[in-house]
Amino acid sequence: MQKLDGVEDLRVRRTRKLLQQALIEVTVEKGFAALTVRDITRRAMVNRSTFYRHYLDKYDLLEQHINEIYEVLEEEVGIIGEGRHEGLIELLKQIQQFPDFYRVVLSAKADAFLSQRFRQQTQQRVLAYFQQTFPEAVSDPDRPPLDLKFTTVASAGCSALAWWLEQEQPSTPEQFAHWLQQLFYDIAVSTLKPKT
Amino acid sequence: MQKLDGVEDLRVRRTRKLLQQALIEVTVEKGFAALTVRDITRRAMVNRSTFYRHYLDKYDLLEQHINEIYEVLEEEVGIIGEGRHEGLIELLKQIQQFPDFYRVVLSAKADAFLSQRFRQQTQQRVLAYFQQTFPEAVSDPDRPPLDLKFTTVASAGCSALAWWLEQEQPSTPEQFAHWLQQLFYDIAVSTLKPKT
Amino acid sequence: MQKLDGVEDLRVRRTRKLLQQALIEVTVEKGFAALTVRDITRRAMVNRSTFYRHYLDKYDLLEQHINEIYEVLEEEVGIIGEGRHEGLIELLKQIQQFPDFYRVVLSAKADAFLSQRFRQQTQQRVLAYFQQTFPEAVSDPDRPPLDLKFTTVASAGCSALAWWLEQEQPSTPEQFAHWLQQLFYDIAVSTLKPKT
Amino acid sequence: MQKLDGVEDLRVRRTRKLLQQALIEVTVEKGFAALTVRDITRRAMVNRSTFYRHYLDKYDLLEQHINEIYEVLEEEVGIIGEGRHEGLIELLKQIQQFPDFYRVVLSAKADAFLSQRFRQQTQQRVLAYFQQTFPEAVSDPDRPPLDLKFTTVASAGCSALAWWLEQEQPSTPEQFAHWLQQLFYDIAVSTLKPKT
DNA sequence: ACGTAAGCGAGACGGTACGTCGCGTCTTACC
DNA sequence: GGTAAGACGCGACGTACCGTCTCGCTTACGT
């Protein structure tokens, strides 16, 4: 399990990849909660005991898979493009490269706590974006508390993403980014700034 | 066998109530996904086979419990107060009477599909509210599609509700309704109406 | 449950008769061991809880049914005709009147211990017959012990009876009685009397 | 996965043996019909689910156990010693090596159909013995049909065996074989041959 | 290139929960 | 008072998955 200069045994890499692919496939078909380790290994054509050599359980598999996808994401997109509009588009393009994966972790197919886990990570990114854009947020007792606003906006963001991925004929990243910004700019200006 | 039609056997009502209470308790403690029928019946001090005489499985129990709560809700609140501000407050007050129940079905503790089920129902209510308030919505190709907005706003609404219920020292329904309206009024005006 | 001058409640008699008939029918169809109280009551169109008002369980029902048949038997045939050949024929004729009942208690369809119970009772009769016919039996260390001989002969007798009842085209009681006597006369003379 | 073809996993052999032993023990104590899979596995100190990996149910376990005993029997005794007197004694000696087993399958403790199953197998052996000894059997309408005689004699044989095994101070195989032959020789000569 | 340590397939095993079924007891209403 | 209807606690059933564990085979790696 330890990497000697980053290169692992070919068989290990093959097995892990097969299992991760199978995970996504089976999750798309019957949902994460309903799926068993057997389902995954049957699909991956890997022995069940081999699964346990690499992962603790299906949650661990998903966890590790998420992390690996994230590493790619961060390498390629960075901290969501430092709040630039182009950064958002890059992010969407990146997401479009693993549509099944994101559909799985975002949609109702995923187990609640895992989708929650993903949402929290994404929230940090999304909020970082807004915090960069509107750093001057102040707290006003008459206005909604900041964490209510954050939670609300982040959840809205994830739902929007999920909506985008579920479309049969998805709009382009550019188009969707445009809509997103309209939605959230409005929310942002109306909630982050003190009432005028 | 029916007694004065509609009034059920006392034992039956007792059993069902014990099971529903136990469900909520155990779900709060360890989450809906992780919980077994045995957990529920142990807590309710009801025999496991009695559980199956009333419900198909834990999902069915939750489903029926949700429906019963909803019936109460509709009787008492009606269609969310016909969009009146007081209607929203009534709704929140009603929700406050079953805090554990709503915490369960709204939070990550619930199974994804059930929380989804709840959200969809709640969405219809929330959206009905806004549609009454802003009936003049138009479709503009440059603006986000209506269903994207609906999904986004509804999801935000549910998250806000969840946030409210998770607070240790919850604000009053009046206070929270005020914040909600600020949040959503802003979103509504900025997304449902054509850009000015 | 107590009889006032031998006359019982009509409903009680009806219920008991329905249950006894149903018992025999269902036993013929699926065997005594495999059959449930529900099977019996369903067939008898009697409520299951009514069954328990009359019998402890299916064993009790069979037991009581056997006893009632036996009472009839003894009234009509007496102690197997006092060893007369005509007595055996009377017995067989009596048995022929309840073919399903005797098939059930004699054949492999019956639970072992009950068929055993029946066999023991029948054995007493059969052996009484031979003891009357050959009262001069003596014990000879070189010859089989008496109880071995009794068990063996009685078991053979029951098997023969079972064979007779299972035949599709049964021979007449007279014919069968003739065969029986040939079989057992030979056994009897060769085992009950000291070797000549 | 086969190791030297035919030799099974050590654990498998151990488990099966424990279960078979437990089956006999528990059957002796409370009878086959009354006994549950749990009883067996508790006694064998084997997990209940392991039981089902090897056997369909308790009937299957008994069935397979019987077959294995029979294989041993046939290897060691062959077709009941080709009708020789010594063959019968060999058979009895073999039976004496598994007294509990034979007590179980022969006595009323066994479920009717299984004891029946055993009797039929034994009958074939016993009858083969007599058919070899008295091959000149003829059919005479005045005499009992052959299959009636066979059934009768075989049943008597099994009962005799059961009697032998139930004795507290069993006679020797030689003594019992002698008695058996007396019993059955007499029956045989008097029923298989035409009346003189 | 090749010997060897690893990864792997196969599957036994002890657990635990499942959903079903039958049991025997009971309560209540009907007749 | 007998019966129908049926709730209930109890406990066995046979199935499914879980995570752990051996045990040989095979295969990629490192020298």
Side-chain angles (χ1 to χ4, degrees):
Chain A
M1 216 58 41
Q2 86 288 13
K3 302 184 184 185
L4 294 177
D5 47 77
V7 178
E8 248 178 319
D9 191 314
L10 231 176
R11 291 167 295 179
V12 172
R13 290 201 323 229
R14 177 173 66 81
T15 298
R16 295 176 73 95
K17 184 170 181 189
L18 286 171
L19 287 171
Q20 292 180 352
Q21 286 178 341
L23 169 69
I24 299 302
E25 286 177 31
V26 183
T27 304
V28 166
E29 289 168 17
K30 58 190 289 191
F32 185 77
L35 123 197
T36 73
V37 171
R38 259 190 176 76
D39 290 332
I40 301 171
T41 56
R42 212 175 1 234
R43 173 65 56 103
M45 292 193 296
V46 159
N47 191 278
R48 196 167 64 92
S49 62
T50 301
F51 177 96
Y52 289 104
R53 196 180 310 281
H54 298 285
Y55 304 103
L56 295 173
D57 47 31
K58 65 175 179 177
Y59 302 96
D60 187 38
L61 167 56
L62 180 49
E63 187 92 15
Q64 292 194 30
H65 188 34
I66 288 178
N67 288 339
E68 292 178 19
I69 294 274
Y70 264 66
E71 282 174 20
V72 176
L73 190 66
E74 265 168 21
E75 273 177 25
E76 306 210 355
V77 182
I79 178 64
I80 208 172
E82 293 87 37
R84 292 168 296 110
H85 182 62
E86 298 76 28
L88 179 55
I89 294 175
E90 282 168 33
L91 174 67
L92 293 176
K93 282 182 173 165
Q94 182 63 27
I95 285 174
Q96 249 187 347
Q97 289 183 358
F98 304 96
D100 280 334
F101 171 79
Y102 284 102
R103 254 194 285 277
V104 157
V105 293
L106 273 172
S107 79
K109 291 263 178 75
D111 204 69
F113 91 96
L114 271 166
S115 123
Q116 207 70 9
R117 187 188 164 290
F118 176 88
R119 287 175 186 241
Q120 279 163 4
Q121 291 208 23
T122 303
Q123 282 169 23
Q124 292 175 358
R125 300 167 168 281
V126 173
L127 292 174
Y129 172 76
F130 286 103
Q131 282 177 319
Q132 283 189 332
T133 316
F134 307 97
E136 69 274 23
V138 303
S139 183
D140 174 354
D142 186 48
R143 306 244 67 208
L146 277 183
D147 58 343
L148 167 57
K149 175 215 55 185
F150 282 163
T151 294
T152 306
V153 170
S155 167
C158 285
S159 293
L161 252 185
W163 174 90
W164 184 51
L165 291 167
E166 297 297 343
Q167 298 305 106
E168 297 201 351
Q169 294 198 339
S171 39
T172 63
E174 288 79 8
Q175 170 72 83
F176 184 63
H178 180 59
W179 288 342
L180 262 189
Q181 285 204 309
Q182 284 186 315
L183 274 172
F184 290 110
Y185 178 81
D186 296 338
I187 297 178
V189 296
S190 62
T191 62
L192 287 172
K193 289 184 175 175
K195 209 165 194 172
T196 48
Chain B
M1 246 342 82
Q2 84 289 8
K3 317 186 176 178
L4 305 173
D5 57 277
V7 178
E8 263 189 3
D9 191 321
L10 235 172
R11 292 168 298 175
V12 172
R13 288 206 320 228
R14 178 175 66 81
T15 298
R16 295 176 72 96
K17 184 171 180 189
L18 286 171
L19 287 172
Q20 292 178 353
Q21 286 177 341
L23 169 69
I24 298 302
E25 286 177 31
V26 183
T27 304
V28 165
E29 289 170 17
K30 57 190 290 192
F32 185 78
L35 120 198
T36 73
V37 171
R38 243 190 258 282
D39 291 331
I40 300 170
T41 57
R42 219 182 345 245
R43 173 67 57 102
M45 291 195 295
V46 159
N47 190 278
R48 196 167 67 91
S49 67
T50 300
F51 177 95
Y52 289 106
R53 208 168 285 114
H54 296 283
Y55 304 104
L56 295 173
D57 46 32
K58 64 178 181 177
Y59 301 96
D60 188 37
L61 166 56
L62 180 48
E63 186 91 16
Q64 292 193 30
H65 189 33
I66 287 178
N67 289 338
E68 291 177 21
I69 294 273
Y70 263 67
E71 284 174 19
V72 176
L73 190 64
E74 263 166 25
E75 274 177 26
E76 309 213 351
V77 181
I79 179 64
I80 206 173
E82 294 85 38
R84 293 167 296 110
H85 183 63
E86 298 77 27
L88 180 56
I89 293 174
E90 284 169 30
L91 175 66
L92 293 176
K93 281 180 172 165
Q94 181 64 27
I95 285 175
Q96 250 188 346
Q97 290 183 358
F98 306 96
D100 280 334
F101 171 79
Y102 285 101
R103 255 195 282 280
V104 157
V105 293
L106 274 171
S107 79
K109 291 270 178 69
D111 203 69
F113 92 96
L114 271 166
S115 121
Q116 205 69 10
R117 188 187 164 290
F118 177 87
R119 285 174 185 243
Q120 278 164 4
Q121 291 207 24
T122 303
Q123 283 170 22
Q124 292 175 358
R125 301 168 166 281
V126 173
L127 291 174
Y129 173 74
F130 286 104
Q131 281 178 317
Q132 282 189 332
T133 318
F134 307 98
E136 68 276 22
V138 302
S139 184
D140 175 352
D142 187 48
R143 308 242 68 211
L146 276 182
D147 59 340
L148 168 57
K149 281 179 299 190
F150 283 166
T151 296
T152 306
V153 169
S155 167
C158 286
S159 293
L161 251 185
W163 173 90
W164 184 50
L165 292 167
E166 297 298 344
Q167 298 305 107
E168 299 203 349
Q169 295 198 340
S171 38
T172 64
E174 288 78 10
Q175 170 73 83
F176 183 62
H178 180 59
W179 289 340
L180 263 190
Q181 284 204 310
Q182 283 187 317
L183 272 172
F184 289 110
Y185 178 81
D186 295 339
I187 296 179
V189 294
S190 62
T191 61
L192 289 171
K193 287 183 177 175
K195 209 164 193 173
T196 49
Chain C
M1 216 59 39
Q2 86 284 20
K3 303 184 183 186
L4 295 176
D5 48 77
V7 178
E8 248 177 320
D9 190 317
L10 232 176
R11 293 167 297 177
V12 172
R13 288 203 323 227
R14 179 174 65 82
T15 298
R16 296 176 72 93
K17 182 170 182 191
L18 286 172
L19 288 172
Q20 291 178 354
Q21 285 177 342
L23 169 69
I24 299 302
E25 286 176 31
V26 182
T27 304
V28 165
E29 288 169 17
K30 57 190 291 193
F32 185 77
L35 126 194
T36 73
V37 172
R38 260 190 177 77
D39 290 332
I40 301 170
T41 56
R42 211 175 2 234
R43 173 66 56 102
M45 292 192 295
V46 158
N47 192 278
R48 196 166 66 90
S49 61
T50 302
F51 177 96
Y52 288 104
R53 193 177 311 280
H54 297 286
Y55 304 104
L56 295 173
D57 47 32
K58 65 176 180 177
Y59 301 96
D60 188 38
L61 167 57
L62 180 49
E63 188 92 15
Q64 292 193 31
H65 188 33
I66 287 179
N67 289 338
E68 292 177 20
I69 294 273
Y70 264 66
E71 283 174 20
V72 176
L73 190 65
E74 266 169 20
E75 275 176 24
E76 308 212 353
V77 182
I79 178 62
I80 207 173
E82 294 85 36
R84 291 168 296 108
H85 182 62
E86 298 76 27
L88 180 54
I89 293 174
E90 283 168 32
L91 174 67
L92 293 176
K93 282 181 173 165
Q94 182 64 27
I95 285 175
Q96 250 186 346
Q97 289 182 358
F98 305 95
D100 279 335
F101 171 78
Y102 285 101
R103 255 195 284 279
V104 158
V105 294
L106 273 171
S107 79
K109 290 265 178 75
D111 204 69
F113 91 96
L114 271 167
S115 124
Q116 207 70 9
R117 188 188 165 291
F118 177 87
R119 286 175 185 241
Q120 279 163 4
Q121 292 208 23
T122 304
Q123 283 169 23
Q124 292 175 358
R125 301 167 168 282
V126 173
L127 291 174
Y129 172 76
F130 285 104
Q131 283 177 319
Q132 283 189 332
T133 317
F134 307 96
E136 68 275 24
V138 303
S139 185
D140 174 353
D142 186 47
R143 307 244 68 208
L146 278 182
D147 59 341
L148 167 57
K149 176 214 55 187
F150 282 163
T151 295
T152 307
V153 170
S155 165
C158 286
S159 294
L161 252 185
W163 174 89
W164 184 51
L165 291 167
E166 297 298 344
Q167 296 305 107
E168 298 201 351
Q169 294 199 339
S171 39
T172 64
E174 288 78 10
Q175 170 72 84
F176 183 63
H178 180 58
W179 288 341
L180 262 190
Q181 284 204 311
Q182 285 187 315
L183 274 171
F184 289 110
Y185 177 80
D186 296 337
I187 297 178
V189 295
S190 62
T191 61
L192 286 172
K193 290 184 174 175
K195 209 166 194 173
T196 48
Chain D
M1 244 348 78
Q2 84 291 5
K3 317 186 178 180
L4 304 174
D5 58 278
V7 178
E8 262 187 4
D9 191 321
L10 235 172
R11 293 168 298 175
V12 172
R13 288 204 322 225
R14 178 173 68 78
T15 298
R16 296 176 73 96
K17 184 170 181 190
L18 286 171
L19 287 172
Q20 292 179 352
Q21 285 178 342
L23 169 70
I24 298 302
E25 286 177 31
V26 182
T27 304
V28 165
E29 289 169 16
K30 59 190 287 192
F32 185 78
L35 120 199
T36 73
V37 171
R38 242 189 259 281
D39 291 331
I40 301 170
T41 55
R42 217 179 349 241
R43 174 66 57 101
M45 292 195 295
V46 158
N47 191 279
R48 196 166 66 92
S49 67
T50 300
F51 177 96
Y52 288 105
R53 206 169 287 114
H54 296 284
Y55 303 104
L56 295 173
D57 46 32
K58 65 177 180 177
Y59 301 96
D60 188 38
L61 167 55
L62 180 49
E63 186 93 15
Q64 291 193 31
H65 189 32
I66 288 178
N67 289 338
E68 291 177 22
I69 294 273
Y70 263 67
E71 282 173 20
V72 176
L73 190 66
E74 263 165 24
E75 273 177 26
E76 307 212 353
V77 181
I79 179 63
I80 207 171
E82 295 85 38
R84 292 168 295 110
H85 183 62
E86 298 77 27
L88 179 56
I89 294 174
E90 283 169 32
L91 175 67
L92 293 176
K93 282 182 172 165
Q94 182 63 28
I95 286 175
Q96 249 187 346
Q97 289 183 358
F98 305 96
D100 280 334
F101 170 79
Y102 285 102
R103 254 194 285 278
V104 158
V105 293
L106 275 171
S107 80
K109 291 270 179 68
D111 202 70
F113 92 96
L114 273 165
S115 122
Q116 205 71 9
R117 189 188 164 289
F118 176 87
R119 286 175 185 242
Q120 279 164 3
Q121 290 207 25
T122 304
Q123 283 170 21
Q124 292 175 358
R125 300 168 168 281
V126 173
L127 292 175
Y129 173 75
F130 286 104
Q131 282 178 318
Q132 283 189 331
T133 317
F134 307 96
E136 68 274 23
V138 301
S139 185
D140 175 352
D142 187 47
R143 307 243 67 211
L146 277 182
D147 59 340
L148 168 57
K149 280 179 300 191
F150 284 166
T151 295
T152 307
V153 169
S155 167
C158 286
S159 293
L161 252 185
W163 174 90
W164 184 50
L165 292 167
E166 297 297 344
Q167 298 305 108
E168 298 202 351
Q169 294 200 340
S171 40
T172 63
E174 288 78 10
Q175 172 72 83
F176 183 63
H178 181 59
W179 288 341
L180 263 189
Q181 284 204 309
Q182 284 187 317
L183 274 172
F184 290 110
Y185 178 81
D186 296 339
I187 297 179
V189 295
S190 62
T191 62
L192 288 172
K193 287 184 177 175
K195 210 165 192 173
T196 49

